[in-house]
Structure formats: C-alpha cells, structure tokens
Amino acid sequence: MDPELISVVQRFLVSEVTDIRPLPGGHIHDSYIVTAASGGLVRRYVLQRLNQTVFADVDALMENVQRVIGHIRQRLHESGGPDRRCRGLSLVPLSAACNVFLCRHDDECWRMFEFIEGTRTLHEVRSAADAERLGRAFGEFHDLMADLPPPPLHETIPRFHDTPWRLTRFEQSVAADVCGRAGDVRAEIDFIRAHAGLAPLLVQANVPQRVVHNDAKIGNVLFDESTGDVLCVVDLDTVMPGTILFDFGDMVRSGVCTAAEDETDLARVEVDLSLFEALTRGYLGAAGSLLTATERDHLVTAGKVIVFEQAVRYLTDFLEGDRYYKTSRPGHNLDRCRNQTKLVESLTQHEREPTRIVQHL
C-alpha cells in the first residue's frame, strides 16, 4: 500500500488499514476504497482526493456537502423510515478534530465517507425499470431538498449550467485553437453554431430557483443490492442553486439513449421513447407536485438543451487539450461530442412524442 495514502487515511481513522485500492469510474476526483479493522470489526470507507482545478473553493464545497447531508439526514429522521441510515451519505471527521471533514496534506485536499454496504451502482440505464428508478431517485432528492433553510448554497462551479456562457467559452477555444485541432472538427463546430439557439432556453425560462444536483445520472444513484430499490443520490459536489430543468435534462441525456455517451457507432445513438416515458413517470411520481406549469412545459426542451450543452463542453475540452474530463483514448472527448450531437438530432426528430408523454402523465 502507498505510504502517502496510509498517512492520509490515518488522519481520519485510528483503526488498522488493511487495504487501499482505486475506485474506478469517476471523471473528476481520485477515489479509493479503504478497508480498516478495529476490535475484530472490518469496515470500508471511500477516500477522495479533491480536484482543486475543478473545485477552486474546497471550503465552500465541503460546507455545501455538510449542509446537504445534514438536511437529508434530518428529513429521513423525521420520516422514521427503518432504512434511513443507508439512505444518506456520512462524512468521516478527522480523528483528532470533531466535525472537521477536510484534510489538507501536502497542498492536497482529502475527505472520507463511510462506505454504504449492500449497495450497487449502474453505469447505464438498461431497461424501463432502470429509467423509472432514475427519475424517482432525483425526484425524491428534489423533494428532500425543497425546504433547505437559507442561506443559499454556494456556487461550487460558477456558471455550471449557464449554456450561453458555455457557448462563449467554446467560441474562445475555437479562436485560440491552442492544440491545433479546430481544422479537423469543422463539422462539429458548424453543428454547434447551427444549434446555438438552444443555449438560452433554460436560463431565460421563468422558473423558480431550487436546490438541484446538476449531475443527475444513474451512476450517481445507489441501489439496494438485493431489492434493486433506490437508496440515495451521491456525488453531491455540484449540488447548488439552479432549476430542476437542469437535472431533468441531464437525466434525459444520460437515461433515454440506446447507447453509452462515448459510443462511436452513431447509428446506435437514438432516443428510446419507452425509456423517456418511464423516466418521466418516475420523476413526476416523486416530484410532480413541486413543479410549476412552466417547469412542466419545459421538460422536453430541457433534454435537448442539456445534451447540446454537453456536446459543447466535450468539444471545448477536446479543443483545449482534454484538461477537464478524464479520457481513456485519443479523441475520446471528440467521440463524446459526436455522440451528443447525434442525440440532439434524435431528440429534435422525436420531439412531438415526448411532449405528448409529459402532457398525459
């Protein structure tokens, strides 16, 4: 085991560390599964090195996370559910300080969560049942956070879903062309410019500001390993003020396509209307009473806008040298961009049916 990692873990735990191994799958932070033993009891934890390039103000980030976890715990306690302990995350404080959850070590910032045993995650929506669970998970999350007391949460990534600003950043990246890649992606650049009218549709909508997750995908939901039931939403770093349209659009982006978001066979990238209907049913069943008429009217639009925004972000990162998203092959971000532009086209072609689905649920 890496002595540096052990030294960090020992800031949180006084028990014997028996194993540390990487936890794959994250795009932003470096995560590890830590196994520790004390008095014959073996427990697991998730240790994370925070990405300070993405999250410049880690103190604000951790304040948000603590407030969100605390509020969810309070709401679950009030509900009296028997499984409430496994339906929310728990931070591990530093062993030498009460209620201090952030470790600063050699200019790096670390935190630790208790590992919730008996759970599993999904990397993709595989069925209508999965899509409905995804919608219900974030509908329940919005319901839990609807009465978070003031003050507002911090904006951990400024302008995260400000699609017009993302478009401006994209144009700056095209103009700078720091990696000399723009000449090879003229078709993708032209597509983004041709669909620029999508950019302001959510930020200019007359809808309430709420507490939203901002990364609403099935990979951020924990499920009960034996029953398949939704337990809780994880990855709370982008929870901040916004519109629920951001989250619904992200669920559409990640949950109603027939292929993974980096699928290179674009013939497989199509909206599946049965998945859209299941997703919408799950979401409205959990949070429908929260929504205004204007929010409901923008649900289908939200899908197109957030998919378009993600295409912009992937292409921007490709032009800038793949600095934000982790990649596993050359051109990975470009593949992701092409995938998302194809999904925009599919959502546009099938817009009438999703609109009918929302109206009848």
Side-chain angles (χ1 to χ4, degrees):
M1 292 183 289
D2 187 333
E4 286 297 316
L5 287 177
I6 293 176
S7 68
V8 173
V9 171
Q10 289 174 339
R11 297 284 299 276
F12 293 95
L13 305 175
V14 295
S15 46
E16 178 188 2
V17 180
T18 59
D19 189 49
I20 304 175
R21 61 186 59 195
L23 179 63
H27 285 320
I28 307 301
H29 304 309
D30 296 320
S31 300
Y32 303 86
I33 292 289
V34 176
T35 305
S38 178
L41 180 65
V42 177
R43 299 185 64 179
R44 292 196 291 173
Y45 305 86
V46 177
L47 176 70
Q48 290 186 314
R49 179 195 286 116
L50 301 183
N51 186 326
Q52 297 178 76
T53 301
V54 175
F55 296 99
D57 189 343
V58 293
D59 292 307
L61 168 69
M62 291 303 296
E63 183 180 326
N64 275 10
V65 171
Q66 289 176 70
R67 286 186 62 197
V68 171
I69 288 175
H71 185 71
I72 291 175
R73 183 179 294 117
Q74 179 63 30
R75 286 286 307 272
L76 294 175
H77 176 75
E78 292 168 355
S79 72
D83 62 347
R84 59 184 182 272
R85 177 167 177 78
C86 64
R87 291 194 60 212
L89 295 174
S90 295
L91 283 160
V92 178
L94 300 184
S95 56
C98 180
N99 295 325
V100 177
F101 301 98
L102 180 66
C103 170
R104 301 181 189 274
H105 180 82
D106 292 341
D107 296 324
E108 295 179 336
C109 291
W110 299 80
R111 69 181 175 196
M112 181 177 283
F113 293 97
E114 295 181 11
F115 186 89
I116 303 177
E117 300 289 352
T119 63
R120 64 187 178 98
T121 57
L122 299 175
H123 298 296
E124 59 185 0
V125 171
R126 301 171 301 185
S127 66
D130 288 345
E132 187 166 352
R133 292 186 190 104
L134 169 62
R136 185 167 64 252
F138 284 97
E140 291 174 352
F141 177 80
H142 289 160
D143 179 67
L144 286 170
M145 298 307 301
D147 59 350
L148 178 73
L153 295 173
H154 299 289
E155 194 176 18
T156 55
I157 302 181
R159 313 181 88 165
F160 187 67
H161 275 309
D162 185 342
T163 316
W165 177 77
R166 296 282 186 188
L167 199 57
T168 299
R169 280 275 328 274
F170 159 75
E171 290 292 359
Q172 291 170 346
S173 298
V174 173
D177 195 17
V178 293
C179 297
R181 294 176 171 180
D184 298 325
V185 292
R186 299 313 307 182
E188 290 74 21
I189 292 171
D190 290 344
F191 181 95
I192 298 299
R193 289 172 173 168
H195 291 78
L198 290 170
L201 296 183
L202 298 188
V203 296
Q204 293 180 4
N206 183 24
V207 294
Q209 185 179 77
R210 305 183 186 274
V211 175
V212 295
H213 188 277
N214 289 300
D215 194 12
K217 60 187 179 184
I218 201 163
N220 285 333
V221 180
L222 287 186
F223 298 90
D224 186 288
E225 195 170 43
S226 58
T227 67
D229 292 339
V230 171
L231 289 178
C232 65
V233 166
V234 298
D235 196 358
L236 306 176
D237 296 335
T238 54
V239 177
M240 51 188 166
T243 164
I244 60 92
L245 298 174
F246 296 157
D247 281 1
F248 189 83
D250 228 352
M251 286 189 288
V252 170
R253 187 188 76 79
S254 63
V256 306
C257 183
T258 55
E261 69 175 10
D262 60 355
E263 172 62 58
T264 57
D265 181 1
L266 298 185
R268 299 185 59 198
V269 181
E270 294 286 344
V271 60
D272 185 322
L273 294 173
S274 66
L275 296 181
F276 180 89
E277 182 169 6
L279 169 72
T280 307
R281 183 187 307 112
Y283 180 75
L284 293 179
S289 61
L290 296 175
L291 271 60
T292 66
T294 304
E295 285 172 319
R296 286 185 68 108
D297 289 345
H298 279 74
L299 291 178
V300 175
T301 299
K304 287 199 300 180
V305 173
I306 296 302
V307 175
F308 170 75
E309 178 185 281
Q310 195 61 52
V312 172
R313 293 180 63 190
Y314 281 143
L315 189 55
T316 300
D317 200 30
F318 175 77
L319 292 169
E320 294 179 350
D322 307 308
R323 299 185 304 176
Y324 185 90
Y325 294 107
K326 291 181 179 178
T327 58
S328 60
R329 61 178 184 263
H332 198 171
N333 277 323
L334 179 58
D335 291 337
R336 290 163 167 161
C337 168
R338 289 169 173 163
N339 179 297
Q340 298 295 279
T341 58
K342 176 65 186 307
L343 187 54
V344 170
E345 292 178 335
S346 182
L347 288 166
T348 301
Q349 292 166 2
H350 296 92
E351 186 169 12
R352 182 176 300 177
E353 185 62 16
T355 300
R356 186 199 63 79
I357 289 168
V358 172
Q359 290 172 345
H360 286 81
L361 283 176

